[in-house]
Amino acid sequence: MAIKFERVGYEYKDIDGKGYLALADVTLNINKTGEFITLIGETGSGKSTLAQHMNALLTPTEGRVHIFGMKISRETRKSKNLKLNPIRQKVGLVFQFPEYQLFEETVENDIAFGPKNFGVSEAEAKERAKKMLNIVGLDDSYLSRSPFNLSGGEKKRVSIAGILAMEPDILVLDEPTSGLDPLGRNALLEVFYDIHQKLDKTVVIITHDMNTVYEYAKRVLVMREGNLVYDGNPTQLFSRKNVKSWNLDVPDILKLRRALEEKFSITLEGETRSKAQLMAKIKEALR
Amino acid sequence: MSLIEIENVSFTYHGNKKALDDVSLSIEKGEWVSILGHNGSGKSTLSKLIVGLLKPQQGVIRVGGITLSADTVRDIRKKVGIVFQNPDNQFVGVTVRDDIAFGLENLQIEREEMIERIEHYAKKVDMYSYLNKEPHNLSGGQKQRVAIAGILAMKTDVIIFDEATAMLDPEGRERVMEYMRALNREGTTIITITHDMKEAVLSDRIVVLKDGRVLKSDKSENILKDKATLEKSNLELLLPLEIMHYLNENGIENPSLKEFLWQLSLNG
């Protein structure tokens, strides 16, 4: 198990000293490879707080998190022997607006910054910059460009390449597609799926987009008021009756399918988790 | 005379290609207009120009007959409020109450009236119990509701929602769209800048921008089904319309199904 949450709680302190429980008693395991997880829940439910525990950016105020064998708790954080660098390298966390963190003069330097910081040679770091840039769907001509003159989607890609260049085993992305136009969003989701498939990495994506959850996720985690209330597959999640009470919506594909089935008194067979599948089923039913 | 008149406006950010290139557009009082377009199409530049956060390098903008300039920008901001995508970038107060008060202080509203408005609009967006809290401890959706309360309290004629729902959860997005509907019913002119067709379908008219120019401006129901225009702007058809398009392409005639898909689309 690469990441293991054991009864994790996290309390924020307000200015007047009043506590606010952002995570409560969360127990959870994440594998090193093969997972494509979406983390969902209403705003303020604790998704980002949970994600920031995955690479020890936050330390639990209750319980413990084991990250690649290292125990993170209130006690161990006081110890000088706890080395966080290896954890940060193994679990790459991409913040919600990663483009605000670009700062180098060229795209190449920006991507190479992380690995160099972790002791990788200049030549190797540049090699990785080029490779990762291609993986996120940008060609070599971008290497010498200034990150500040790129579009929003391009900036996001460059910052994700920067995290990938550290060769993390697990990639955690906090709302990576928010603010992108539909074409940019779909392209970036394909990039994450490729990273998962081709580089065999575990990917965790925080999102509000139920269509992303339905079309891509193998596993869904649902947060509600600091509690992990669901850990399972998307199909079962959206067939639950209480899904609306978690402030979640039903994915468009499923909504449309149900509307058609009801209106025309038909039953479509099998799963339709992509538009193409739904279209094929409708065509079949019309024969 | 239209409420908002944009005439031959161009704008270039330092050292880049034109963000807006000779854009002309009129918006009527009480109208609800969606501005759609790809990332970098100039949508947000246009909204910043209308509230005077940027100055057009060419062309003229008039709001309620007043030509926007350094001298009139304060008057224009009494007429036009804006809610941005990222609520973190629009907080100035120590508490939620201060934050909602900020815009009102600029309007030089009497203290009693101010307190009344703050409480009324905080209740309206369900943030009343948070009035004495620090904004930075709120969730994204809560922050956005506070930002909206601050704009509502100013009672402007026009409210621009600049991708204001992009970062919200489904429930939060639905609520903001509900505020938009209610405001528009009460006569407020609404401009929504969005990538979300479900939001755009609510408006009377859709203006599609591409590379800084107006690609198309038409009644929403016409733009909704215009696959070619949407694709040129990195946008997608609503799912029921995509299915309808697929049926047409495959020569499947089924009028009752198509009518049903169309009705579903109009309901978002």
Side-chain angles (χ1 to χ4, degrees), chain A residues 181, chain B residues 6 9-13 17-21 23 25 35-50 54 162-163 191 193-195 207-214 233:
Chain A
D181 59 42
Chain B
I6 297 162
V9 164
S10 295
F11 186 86
T12 308
Y13 291 96
K17 66 175 171 36
K18 275 190 179 170
L20 284 180
D21 186 4
V23 167
L25 189 65
I35 299 178
L36 301 185
H38 56 89
N39 286 120
S41 60
K43 306 185 297 288
S44 288
T45 303
L46 186 61
S47 72
K48 288 188 184 114
L49 284 163
I50 297 173
L54 297 173
D162 190 348
E163 296 189 50
I191 302 174
I193 289 172
T194 183
H195 294 133
V207 176
V208 183
L209 293 185
K210 180 174 164 58
D211 299 324
R213 304 188 78 112
V214 176
S233 316

Side-chain angles (χ1 to χ4, degrees), chain B residues 29 121 124 179-189:
Chain B
K29 186 168 166 24
Y121 289 103
K124 197 155 186 173
Y179 300 145
M180 292 177 191
R181 283 193 198 97
L183 283 163
N184 189 242
R185 266 199 305 271
E186 290 159 14
T188 306
T189 306

Side-chain angles (χ1 to χ4, degrees), chain A residues 107 111-112 115 124-140 143 157-168 191 195 199 201:
Chain A
V107 165
I111 304 176
E124 163 75 11
K126 290 199 162 174
E127 193 60 38
R128 286 192 196 175
K130 196 174 149 183
K131 183 178 159 200
M132 298 310 165
L133 191 67
N134 294 338
I135 284 175
V136 298
L138 298 175
D139 64 47
D140 293 356
L143 287 168
R157 284 168 194 248
V158 169
S159 41
I160 290 160
I163 298 289
L164 284 176
M166 291 188 261
E167 302 194 328
V191 168
I195 291 166
L199 306 181
K201 294 191 191 298

Side-chain angles (χ1 to χ4, degrees), chain B:
Chain B
M1 187 183 70
S2 305
L3 182 61
I4 298 178
E5 293 173 319
I6 297 162
E7 281 175 18
N8 308 103
V9 164
S10 295
F11 186 86
T12 308
Y13 291 96
H14 183 73
N16 281 298
K17 66 175 171 36
K18 275 190 179 170
L20 284 180
D21 186 4
D22 197 23
V23 167
S24 295
L25 189 65
S26 306
I27 294 172
E28 305 304 320
K29 186 168 166 24
E31 200 182 7
W32 183 345
V33 176
S34 292
I35 299 178
L36 301 185
H38 56 89
N39 286 120
S41 60
K43 306 185 297 288
S44 288
T45 303
L46 186 61
S47 72
K48 288 188 184 114
L49 284 163
I50 297 173
V51 292
L53 286 171
L54 297 173
K55 215 174 103 194
Q57 289 142 348
Q58 271 168 42
V60 176
I61 295 174
R62 277 185 294 269
V63 179
I66 303 172
T67 302
L68 182 61
S69 71
D71 296 332
T72 59
V73 69
R74 289 179 72 95
D75 299 320
I76 300 267
R77 290 204 190 136
K78 287 175 189 168
K79 295 179 186 294
V80 188
I82 184 164
V83 184
F84 293 101
Q85 179 190 133
N86 188 347
D88 284 333
N89 298 346
Q90 41 195 326
F91 277 94
V92 288
V94 179
T95 63
V96 167
R97 184 187 297 277
D98 293 343
D99 220 277
I100 301 177
F102 180 76
L104 296 175
E105 283 164 2
N106 285 344
L107 294 183
Q108 293 159 343
I109 307 256
E110 296 280 328
R111 193 178 147 74
E112 280 193 5
E113 161 89 16
M114 194 149 104
I115 293 169
E116 206 172 289
R117 283 205 206 175
I118 291 170
E119 299 196 340
H120 175 78
Y121 289 103
K123 277 179 193 154
K124 197 155 186 173
V125 299
D126 277 336
M127 290 302 289
Y128 184 70
S129 60
Y130 292 84
L131 276 175
N132 296 322
K133 299 250 181 217
E134 292 174 80
H136 72 88
N137 282 340
L138 304 177
S139 73
Q142 291 170 331
K143 285 177 186 168
Q144 201 63 315
R145 268 147 54 196
V146 172
I148 288 170
I151 298 298
L152 294 182
M154 292 169 69
K155 299 186 178 173
T156 53
D157 300 334
V158 184
I159 301 183
I160 304 176
F161 290 87
D162 190 348
E163 296 189 50
T165 62
M167 291 173 54
L168 303 184
D169 61 33
E171 145 91 11
R173 182 174 311 142
E174 190 45 55
R175 273 173 93 139
V176 173
M177 293 202 283
E178 209 40 68
Y179 300 145
M180 292 177 191
R181 283 193 198 97
L183 283 163
N184 189 242
R185 266 199 305 271
E186 290 159 14
T188 306
T189 306
I190 306 275
I191 302 174
T192 44
I193 289 172
T194 183
H195 294 133
D196 186 353
M197 294 306 291
K198 283 187 209 159
E199 204 175 303
V201 73
L202 301 173
S203 60
D204 305 313
R205 179 158 60 108
I206 294 176
V207 176
V208 183
L209 293 185
K210 180 174 164 58
D211 299 324
R213 304 188 78 112
V214 176
L215 182 66
K216 218 161 214 184
S217 168
D218 201 348
K219 283 202 302 198
S220 296
E221 53 184 75
N222 293 337
I223 300 279
L224 273 188
K225 51 189 176 190
D226 187 348
K227 190 175 192 226
T229 296
L230 295 180
E231 277 182 355
K232 271 186 215 156
S233 316
N234 292 0
L235 301 166
E236 279 178 328
L237 287 169
L238 284 163
L239 183 62
L241 294 178
E242 207 165 312
I243 303 284
M244 182 131 74
H245 191 84
Y246 170 84
L247 297 175
N248 289 339
E249 269 185 340
N250 284 274
I252 298 170
E253 282 306 324
N254 192 324
S256 64
L257 175 57
K258 285 180 185 172
E259 177 56 27
F260 184 61
L261 291 170
W262 178 238
Q263 289 308 324
L264 284 179
S265 307
L266 293 180
N267 295 329

